Amino acid sequence: MNIGQAAKHTGLSAKMIRYYEAIGLLPSAGRSESGYRVYAEDDLQRLRFIRRARDLGFSLAESGRLLALWHDRERASADVKALAVEHIEALNGKIAELEALRDTLQNLVDHCQGDHRPDCPILEDLQAGSGCCQPASAKR
C-alpha cells in the first residue's frame, strides 16, 4: 500500500510516516517501480505501535526503546515494565507541576476583584515575575 493508504490505516499523517522513517523508527519503505513508497502489514503494525506509544506520552526515544523491546523475543517483561514505571513517574511530576500552576492561578483569580477598578493581582504577579501571590505548595 502507498503512504496515503498507510496514513489512513494508522491515523498518522504521511508527513509523520516519512519523519519516523527519516529518524529510524520505521525501516526505509520499499519502493514501487515508479518510486513510490510501499508499506506492508508489518510496517502498519509498527506505525500503530508508535502511534499508541506517542498517544500514551512516550517520547520518540522511549518509543524507539519500546519498539526494540517489542521485537526482542529474548527480553524480559521487567525491562518493559521498568520503562513504563519510569514514564509514569515523569507523568506524575508533570501532573504535580500542572496542579501547582492551576493552584497559583486560582489563588490569583480569587484575589482579583474583577470590578471596574484597575487594580489586578493577576497583572501585578505577572509584572513582578517573582510569584508574589503563589500558594506555598507552588513556590520553588
Side-chain angles (χ1 to χ4, degrees):
M1 88 179 40
N2 67 32
I3 197 166
Q5 294 165 324
K8 188 175 183 176
H9 279 85
T10 61
L12 295 167
S13 68
K15 184 177 181 177
M16 286 307 301
I17 294 172
R18 284 189 292 272
Y19 178 68
Y20 292 155
E21 187 177 327
I23 64 171
L25 280 180
L26 183 67
S28 295
R31 298 286 179 156
S32 68
E33 287 183 23
S34 55
Y36 290 104
R37 287 176 169 87
V38 177
Y39 296 93
E41 185 58 37
D42 287 351
D43 298 319
L44 298 181
Q45 282 185 313
R46 190 176 187 97
L47 287 167
R48 286 197 271 298
F49 184 100
I50 295 167
R51 179 173 180 219
R52 182 63 178 144
R54 299 290 289 146
D55 287 348
L56 289 172
F58 286 100
S59 68
L60 289 172
E62 291 168 329
S63 296
R65 287 171 49 199
L66 286 166
L67 276 167
L69 289 167
W70 180 43
H71 285 104
D72 179 5
R73 298 308 301 163
E74 301 293 317
R75 55 102 172 100
S77 64
D79 297 335
V80 181
K81 183 176 181 175
L83 184 60
V85 167
E86 187 178 307
H87 184 61
I88 289 169
E89 290 169 359
L91 289 174
N92 285 334
K94 289 178 185 178
I95 289 167
E97 288 177 19
L98 287 171
E99 287 174 341
L101 289 173
R102 180 204 56 215
D103 293 348
T104 298
L105 189 53
Q106 185 64 57
N107 188 39
L108 291 169
V109 166
D110 291 346
H111 287 89
C112 180
Q113 297 301 313
D115 57 17
H116 65 281
R117 294 179 298 159
D119 298 337
C120 179
I122 300 168
L123 294 177
E124 291 169 12
D125 181 83
L126 294 172
Q127 182 271 323
S130 63
C132 69
C133 301
Q134 291 180 347
S137 65
K139 287 186 181 177
R140 296 178 189 228

